[in-house]
Amino acid sequence: MTTLFISDLHLDPQRPHIVDLYTELLAGEARRANALYILGDLFESWIGDDDDAALAARVAEATRALRDSGVPVWFMHGNRDFLLGADYAARAGMTVLADPSVIELGGERVLLMHGDTLCTDDVEYLKFRALVRDPRWQAQFLAKPLAERRAFAAQARGESRKHTSAAKPEIMDVNQEAVAAAMRAHGVHKLIHGHTHRPATHHFDLDGRLAERVVLGDWYEQDSVVRIDQAPPR
Ligand code: MN
């Protein structure tokens, strides 16, 4: 059986082709999978579960159909859709997974993260993250009218683009010490994450044992799926 991992789809009404690729995955290959893991940034932005945009409804319906066909769908928040709540997750048939989480895959413990917390060199971003992950900030934000929240999200996206193009490329990648610390803390030698949009499989030594870090790719121009096969139990 195959377990599928995706992240950083950044679904947005501006890129309808990418939404089609996602619904094709859900209706096709994912139906034969063991489970689907969405490791954050499914949406380009999320302003609250009460958003009446057509995209949210379409994605919920298509994702729900996969769950209803018997395939578990796990969702971890990213830095764009961290406000996605229990209501929407239920509508979409997704079970919310904490960041970080450890799962067992083919007898091996695997650490799953979105990946933004591994980018410890990006001090400015981590300050912003601490603010918007504060439950009081979130409650205040969600109490604002939809139009005001939409304007804030558009502004935050602009700021994020400016920051991404101005910051040194190495600052926007994971910090290897942070990777090692997270893996050590969870007693794993395999990590899967997204966020950096630098798809690759990295091998390195972790305390005398070979460790692996799998980075998922973004969906800005094409789809990107990591498939992990497990032998059926004998
Ligand atoms: Mn991200």
Side-chain angles (χ1 to χ4, degrees):
M1 287 295 270
T2 305
T3 304
L4 305 181
F5 296 86
I6 58 176
S7 73
D8 304 282
L9 290 83
H10 294 271
L11 297 180
D12 186 293
Q14 310 286 322
R15 288 188 292 272
H17 172 57
I18 301 301
V19 184
D20 292 343
L21 287 176
Y22 175 58
T23 58
E24 281 162 26
L25 175 73
L26 295 173
E29 183 186 359
R31 296 290 165 113
R32 300 178 297 275
N34 228 7
L36 171 67
Y37 285 87
I38 305 168
L39 299 186
D41 290 354
L42 173 61
F43 292 97
E44 173 74 0
S45 62
W46 193 261
I47 55 169
D49 291 6
D50 56 338
D51 188 0
D52 49 10
L55 175 69
R58 183 179 168 204
V59 168
E61 194 185 333
T63 309
R64 176 84 206 203
L66 176 65
R67 178 68 196 89
D68 288 347
S69 79
V71 180
V73 181
W74 300 90
F75 171 81
M76 183 179 281
H77 290 108
N79 56 301
R80 299 301 193 96
D81 49 17
F82 59 88
L83 282 172
L84 196 151
D87 280 3
Y88 185 78
R91 265 165 66 200
M94 307 189 296
T95 307
V96 175
L97 203 56
D99 181 5
S101 282
V102 175
I103 61 166
E104 207 178 287
L105 208 57
E108 186 183 11
R109 285 163 51 79
V110 179
L111 177 61
L112 306 179
M113 303 175 81
H114 175 57
D116 54 332
T117 56
L118 296 169
C119 301
T120 52
D121 297 325
D122 193 349
V123 176
E124 205 180 313
Y125 166 70
L126 288 178
K127 262 194 251 170
F128 174 77
R129 188 184 194 277
L131 170 73
V132 299
R133 295 296 180 108
D134 180 340
R136 280 166 307 177
W137 184 92
Q138 294 191 354
Q140 271 173 23
F141 180 78
L142 291 172
K144 292 181 199 293
L146 271 175
E148 204 176 315
R149 282 181 268 157
R150 252 180 220 125
F152 176 87
Q155 193 202 333
R157 278 203 301 279
E159 295 290 326
S160 166
R161 261 193 297 273
K162 258 191 275 172
H163 178 62
T164 304
S165 53
K168 289 198 186 82
E170 57 270 27
I171 285 182
M172 306 296 293
D173 203 354
V174 299
N175 174 296
Q176 183 59 28
E177 285 308 307
V179 167
M183 293 178 82
R184 228 173 252 133
H186 292 90
V188 299
H189 281 78
K190 187 175 181 126
L191 163 65
I192 304 175
H193 71 84
H195 182 67
T196 60
H197 302 188
R198 297 172 192 206
T201 300
H202 301 273
H203 291 102
F204 54 96
D205 180 87
L206 180 66
D207 306 328
R209 249 185 78 186
L210 185 67
E212 186 180 53
R213 176 170 71 92
V214 178
V215 188
L216 307 177
D218 68 81
W219 286 48
Y220 276 127
E221 269 144 31
Q222 71 292 302
D223 54 358
S224 179
V225 182
V226 165
R227 302 165 176 88
I228 297 188
D229 293 314
Q230 299 137 256
R234 279 191 278 181

